[in-house]
Amino acid sequence: MAELGLCSRREADEYISRGWVLVDGQVVDVLGTKVLPSQHIELHKFAAQVQAGRVTILINKPVGYVSGQAEDGYEPAVVLFKPENHWVGDNSGIPFSPVHYQGLAPAGRLDIDSVGLLVLTQDGVVAKTLIGENSQVEKEYLVRVSGHLKGDGLRLLNHGLELDGAKLKPARVWWQNKDQLRFILREGKKRQIRRMCELVGLEVVGLQRIRIGRIMLGDLPRGQWRYLAPDESFVGGDMDF
């Protein structure tokens, strides 16, 4: 079910236990039931209703907040999710509700010294899309740097560097202006951009994430949040970046 994109593995266990999964039109409520590739799996309307009620939050994270659990005295970005920080420009039509705190978790990291677009979601499908093992969703960053770039540094940033003993996926990196680079990545190792820059003689002095897939940070003010609208998606369609 997770591989088909119907739900996350955790959600699949819940739906099966509740009898909300049908295989070839028959209810399957036993965990671990084997299903052949040729069989048709679908979710009961109750499961679809539960999924439709789950929300995804977009936050413009300031410096000084961690993405996940609180650490070293720093608060997690989820504390910014409160009515007084709700952006007036949110046109999703989704009203704020305390139930939206339940199961809300970050779908990706943005380190404490970085700012910009951070996603929190209740939806396992969204989380899998953004941070699943086979995710190909682009993340775009504006990166202010200091130092002196090595002769072949720009080529290496695009492809050729290793971190933690593994080769990095090809990236797209170019100069935005004389002291700022633009990065587009399809992976997210811990402090990846900062470590990449160090390998080519640069120091990151400012980092902002401005896009995840098709979703732009846009005019969302620092420290505020909005809902992902029902007609928005991180993937699908064509966009010219």
Side-chain angles (χ1 to χ4, degrees):
M1 290 169 63
E3 291 175 0
L4 290 173
L6 295 174
C7 57
S8 69
R9 294 181 184 278
R10 178 182 57 79
E11 290 167 341
D13 288 346
E14 175 189 349
Y15 296 161
I16 292 169
S17 298
R18 293 191 177 196
W20 290 353
V21 176
L22 293 87
V23 177
D24 291 342
Q26 300 298 313
V27 172
V28 172
D29 57 7
V30 178
L31 295 176
T33 298
K34 302 295 183 183
V35 179
L36 298 175
S38 59
Q39 293 183 287
H40 177 65
I41 303 174
E42 60 183 320
L43 298 179
H44 192 281
K45 64 179 182 181
F46 293 155
Q49 290 169 357
V50 168
Q51 285 187 314
R54 290 181 171 142
V55 298
T56 295
I57 311 297
L58 309 174
I59 293 179
N60 186 345
K61 187 188 86 68
V63 168
Y65 291 86
V66 294
S67 300
Q69 297 296 319
E71 56 183 68
D72 300 327
Y74 293 104
E75 291 185 300
V78 70
V79 302
L80 298 169
F81 177 49
K82 49 189 176 182
E84 54 265 41
N85 290 338
H86 192 181
W87 182 36
V88 296
D90 185 343
N91 60 6
S92 66
I94 301 173
F96 173 81
S97 170
V99 76
H100 295 159
Y101 287 108
Q102 297 175 12
L104 194 64
R109 62 169 66 92
L110 192 60
D111 69 57
I112 194 169
D113 300 317
S114 301
V115 302
L117 187 57
L118 179 68
V119 177
L120 305 176
T121 187
Q122 295 178 314
D123 191 329
V125 174
V126 169
K128 185 175 184 291
T129 298
L130 298 185
I131 58 175
E133 183 178 358
N134 299 315
S135 176
Q136 293 292 312
V137 176
E138 290 184 344
K139 286 85 173 178
E140 186 169 356
Y141 305 81
L142 293 176
V143 184
R144 195 165 300 280
V145 295
S146 63
H148 299 285
L149 182 67
K150 293 179 180 178
D152 62 347
L154 191 59
R155 177 185 64 80
L156 289 171
L157 287 172
N158 277 272
H159 194 208
L161 294 177
E162 294 185 5
L163 290 178
D164 305 323
K167 291 184 178 181
L168 296 176
K169 296 178 180 179
R172 282 190 280 162
V173 185
W174 66 96
W175 286 105
Q176 182 75 10
N177 53 51
K178 65 179 183 179
D179 63 353
Q180 191 174 60
L181 290 163
R182 188 179 287 253
F183 276 70
I184 297 179
L185 304 180
R186 289 181 181 269
E187 59 188 333
K189 294 181 180 294
K190 187 174 183 179
R191 299 180 73 84
Q192 178 172 336
I193 291 177
R194 296 176 188 275
R195 295 162 68 196
M196 289 174 69
C197 287
E198 288 173 3
L199 291 173
V200 296
L202 298 175
E203 179 184 1
V204 173
V205 296
L207 188 153
Q208 180 186 39
R209 184 157 61 204
I210 60 172
R211 176 174 68 89
I212 299 177
R214 294 174 55 84
I215 303 301
M216 304 293 296
L217 177 64
D219 296 328
L220 181 62
R222 192 73 49 82
Q224 295 188 27
W225 62 272
R226 72 173 180 89
Y227 289 108
L228 183 73
D231 62 349
E232 291 183 302
S233 174
F234 293 98
V235 297
D238 295 319
M239 292 185 73
D240 181 10
F241 296 111

